[in-house]
Amino acid sequence: MKTIKTMTVAAVLSFNGVVAQAADLTIGVPSWPSAAATAYILKTVMEENLGLDVAMQSGSNAVIFEAMDRGSMDVHPEVWLPNQQNLYQKYVVERGTVLQNKHGVEAIQGACVTKETSEKYNIKSIYDLTDPDKSVLFDSDGDGIGNMWAGQPGAASTIIEKIRAKSYGYDQTMELDESDLPINWAALDASVKAHKPYVFACYTPHYVFSLYDLVFLSEPAHNDKTWNILQPTDDPDWLAKSNADSAWPVANFYVDYAKSLQTRHPEAASLLKNFRLNSEIVSGLSYSMVVEKKSADVVAHEWVKSHSKLVESWLGQ
């Protein structure tokens, strides 16, 4: 993946002392592939079709939302709900400085194993992880306790996976590992090739389902009445006070953008309001980046060129 350079407001002085203008707007770039590809698609369309100068700025979910609130960033390309509900509540609902595109992409979240693992060891339910005889099969570090990849460090979904482990009880039989995405995918690939059990927090849409034969572990249907999530920023006793003893609710992810764009660059705000993708497109974008090793900007330019009709619909043409 091409390195994302952090843009600054630094200007270049010309020979007559006139200061060049900063970029018209800045798009935040989260760390996962589909979000990066979406960010660069938006950049490509804004520059090629709207004539805007677009800067890119890497950042976490919290950093991008705070920056949109302050006015130093303008777009978050992939906001997951309910995962980032606390940020949505603060900046979209309460402060009103951020707007959300209404065309979400549906996503399913849970815990996955390979079909081979499920059938060979009869591991089909989330409750199987609470069985010491089954959970030990996932021991990857030789300490006699199973290991499960819970997500990336600091991610809202990783916090929720910890709550789920406590609520179901497999926090007593499994160690929850946190690491960056490439480490998880490398571990999954090694386990598949070695025919060893591996369990990890998973979601669709994602290219990994086109590479491996994976299955979700079954869970009780989502129960709003017992699903209560607090993040560490909400309460220092978040884990004890939270509960998630049923399946994730069906998630959706959206493009969010600074409300100020409506007056500063209404044509960009209109594009972001009309922007729409689907799960197949998102899976294909991440596949191109991770499997085919293409940079986000290359993926974006190729995709925009081959999807002109859809792009025109965003532009109201």
Side-chain angles (χ1 to χ4, degrees):
M1 175 178 169
K2 186 175 179 180
T3 301
I4 301 170
K5 296 182 179 179
T6 300
M7 304 298 294
T8 69
V9 189
V12 179
L13 291 174
S14 65
F15 71 95
N16 60 1
V18 177
V19 179
Q21 295 297 311
D24 294 309
L25 58 88
T26 300
I27 296 176
V29 187
S31 61
W32 59 96
S34 60
T38 301
Y40 274 88
I41 285 173
L42 290 170
K43 172 183 169 68
T44 301
V45 175
M46 288 179 181
E47 292 187 336
E48 294 185 353
N49 296 83
L50 302 180
L52 297 172
D53 181 19
V54 180
M56 309 299 277
Q57 172 75 63
S58 59
S60 65
N61 294 316
V63 166
I64 296 173
F65 266 97
E66 290 166 5
M68 288 192 293
D69 180 65
R70 293 194 310 267
S72 55
M73 282 197 219
D74 299 286
V75 182
H76 188 311
E78 194 172 298
V79 176
W80 282 67
L81 294 180
N83 306 39
Q84 292 145 37
Q85 184 65 36
N86 59 332
L87 296 172
Y88 171 84
Q89 181 68 27
K90 180 176 180 179
Y91 295 106
V92 178
V93 177
E94 296 174 5
R95 294 180 66 84
T97 54
V98 176
L99 300 177
Q100 185 168 89
N101 167 292
K102 301 304 180 184
H103 306 302
V105 178
E106 187 173 286
I108 299 173
Q109 301 177 88
C112 284
V113 298
T114 63
K115 186 177 181 181
E116 178 185 12
T117 293
S118 177
E119 294 179 347
K120 183 177 180 179
Y121 300 103
N122 192 31
I123 297 174
K124 303 181 183 301
S125 164
I126 196 76
Y127 292 109
D128 288 327
L129 300 181
T130 67
D131 182 344
D133 293 332
K134 291 183 176 181
S135 62
V136 73
L137 297 171
F138 298 101
D139 178 16
S140 61
D141 55 15
D143 64 357
I145 301 175
N147 295 83
M148 175 181 177
W149 185 74
Q152 298 188 91
S157 58
T158 304
I159 297 298
I160 297 175
E161 286 300 335
K162 292 179 179 180
I163 296 169
R164 281 161 48 79
K166 181 213 67 169
S167 303
Y168 279 119
Y170 57 84
D171 63 332
Q172 302 300 306
T173 55
M174 304 284 292
E175 294 178 351
L176 298 185
D177 299 332
E178 300 178 42
S179 63
D180 291 335
L181 286 169
I183 296 175
N184 174 57
W185 303 137
L188 171 62
D189 186 67
S191 297
V192 169
K193 291 176 179 176
H195 301 281
K196 291 183 177 180
Y198 188 76
V199 60
F200 62 102
C202 58
Y203 61 89
T204 63
H206 201 286
Y207 74 89
V208 73
F209 287 86
S210 66
L211 296 180
Y212 309 106
D213 195 358
L214 302 174
V215 294
F216 281 91
L217 297 180
S218 65
E219 300 184 47
H222 176 71
N223 187 345
D224 269 333
K225 294 180 180 179
T226 63
W227 183 277
N228 178 44
I229 301 297
L230 293 173
Q231 291 285 335
T233 52
D234 299 325
D235 192 310
D237 201 20
W238 59 274
L239 184 58
K241 294 181 179 179
S242 297
N243 185 72
D245 58 356
S246 63
W248 282 82
V250 174
N252 287 273
F253 53 87
Y254 308 82
V255 169
D256 282 27
Y257 54 99
K259 185 178 182 179
S260 62
L261 280 177
Q262 291 183 322
T263 52
R264 291 189 292 115
H265 296 290
E267 70 279 27
S270 178
L271 162 67
L272 293 164
K273 181 179 179 180
N274 295 329
F275 183 78
R276 184 193 297 264
L277 296 177
N278 59 41
S279 58
E280 183 179 355
I281 290 172
V282 173
S283 293
L285 292 171
S286 58
Y287 185 93
S288 295
M289 285 188 62
V290 179
V291 180
E292 298 177 341
K293 308 296 184 184
K294 295 180 180 179
S295 64
D297 55 344
V298 168
V299 169
H301 279 89
E302 291 178 350
W303 189 91
V304 168
K305 184 177 180 180
S306 61
H307 293 80
S308 58
K309 293 294 184 183
L310 181 54
V311 171
E312 288 172 4
S313 73
W314 304 340
L315 297 167
Q317 299 175 355

